[in-house]
Amino acid sequence: MKTQIQERSIERNKTWKTIFLFLAIVILLTSPFHYAIVNLYPSRIYVGAIMWCPAIAAFITLKIKGRNISSLHWNWGNWKYIRWSYIVPALYGIITYVLIWIFGFGNLANSEAITEWGKELGLFGIGTLNPTSITIIAIMLLATIEVIRASATTLGEEIGWRGFFIYELRKVLSFTGVSIFSGLIWSFWHWPLLVYYSNNVLLEFTTFTIVIVSMSFIMTYYTFKSKSLWPAVIFHAVSNVYIQKIMPPLTIKVEGTEQWLGENGIMFAIVTCIFGIYFWKKGLKEQL
């Protein structure tokens, strides 16, 4: 007869095989679109396709393993976790840029910059809208409609990474291990795109990895607490919108401080790291 230790060892081996099968499928599905973005054209179609590769990989893995897609924690969960999954990334995005303004790495946008932003959104020239009105309307639209739109693509990532991947990792790793391992894999998965977009590859690889691992701690916490993939979907979408769409247009760059700005900037890495440490300790305290 097999001992309990032997049975646990067999189950762990099966789990690791499932994990690496999933990752192999993710790489296989993603590689053509990475190539297309880097060597053809960085189309939103290719980016959207990449973001849905983890979901498709999860579906294929489940099919191979004879498991149901319904096991991916589709339930909405407690609204409390949905709310906090909006508030936290919005908060760290705002804090990042307030610190950038305070320390002079960038300046709060002037009326001309706001007007240009309004033109991009088709708001300039509507009645007697002034820069303040344009700013308020733009932020409201981006913080609501754009978050909903962004959720359509982040859903693809989160079905795979948080709906499937971290629950497999949870069978063999602690909360800390799950957060670090999944964060590193999630970061490495983005690296081919960084090569294309980065101006300072070494610095941006470092800051981006810190950001992603830090976010992984927060998203793993809310996923396990809610037993739902939806907080991660909202969190990811809000983070993208605030750090890519809302805060940068409100900031005028200062020459020589570009490395502090944006989602690959030093300041964002510092702020998200602090948030990540807080949720790491919170997760340990609550024995997730």
Side-chain angles (χ1 to χ4, degrees), residues 15-183:
T15 299
W16 280 114
K17 287 178 181 179
T18 301
I19 289 167
F20 287 116
L21 173 63
F22 166 74
L23 293 177
I25 296 172
V26 169
I27 293 170
L28 184 65
L29 293 174
T30 305
S31 295
F33 299 111
H34 274 150
Y35 176 86
I37 289 173
V38 173
N39 294 284
L40 300 179
Y41 186 75
S43 166
R44 289 180 67 174
I45 292 176
Y46 297 143
V47 173
I50 281 177
M51 294 181 75
W52 268 90
C53 286
I56 297 170
F59 297 154
I60 294 172
T61 303
L62 288 171
K63 181 67 174 178
I64 291 171
K65 293 295 180 178
R67 290 156 58 181
N68 294 324
I69 292 176
S70 59
S71 65
L72 292 177
H73 305 275
W74 297 100
N75 59 296
W76 186 250
N78 191 319
W79 270 99
K80 175 177 70 173
Y81 300 116
I82 299 294
R83 288 195 296 269
W84 279 109
S85 289
Y86 187 104
I87 293 169
V88 170
L91 184 61
Y92 69 46
I94 292 169
I95 290 173
T96 295
Y97 274 85
V98 168
L99 290 174
I100 285 170
W101 300 333
I102 290 173
F103 288 105
F105 299 129
N107 296 319
L108 187 60
N110 56 29
S111 59
E112 291 181 4
I114 296 298
T115 299
E116 288 301 315
W117 193 22
K119 287 180 180 178
E120 291 180 12
L121 294 172
L123 299 175
F124 185 68
I126 299 178
T128 57
L129 288 180
N130 56 38
T132 301
S133 300
I134 289 172
T135 302
I136 293 171
I137 294 171
I139 290 174
M140 288 176 62
L141 289 172
L142 291 168
T144 53
I145 305 302
E146 181 61 18
V147 167
I148 294 170
R149 189 207 64 78
S151 296
T153 49
T154 60
L155 173 61
E157 281 199 49
E158 297 313 324
I159 288 172
W161 298 128
R162 254 58 63 173
F164 175 78
F165 187 47
I166 66 171
Y167 278 97
E168 291 300 305
L169 289 176
R170 196 182 196 184
K171 297 174 183 178
V172 291
L173 296 174
S174 65
F175 170 75
T176 301
V178 169
S179 300
I180 293 174
F181 190 88
S182 63

Side-chain angles (χ1 to χ4, degrees), residues 213-230:
V213 173
S214 300
M215 288 174 62
S216 179
F217 274 97
I218 307 170
M219 296 166 79
T220 298
Y221 174 85
Y222 280 122
T223 300
F224 288 164
K225 287 293 288 187
S226 65
K227 298 180 177 63
S228 167
L229 61 83
W230 292 105

Side-chain angles (χ1 to χ4, degrees), residues 9 119 149 215 243 245 278:
S9 178
K119 287 180 180 178
R149 189 207 64 78
M215 288 174 62
I243 209 66
K245 304 287 188 180
Y278 170 80

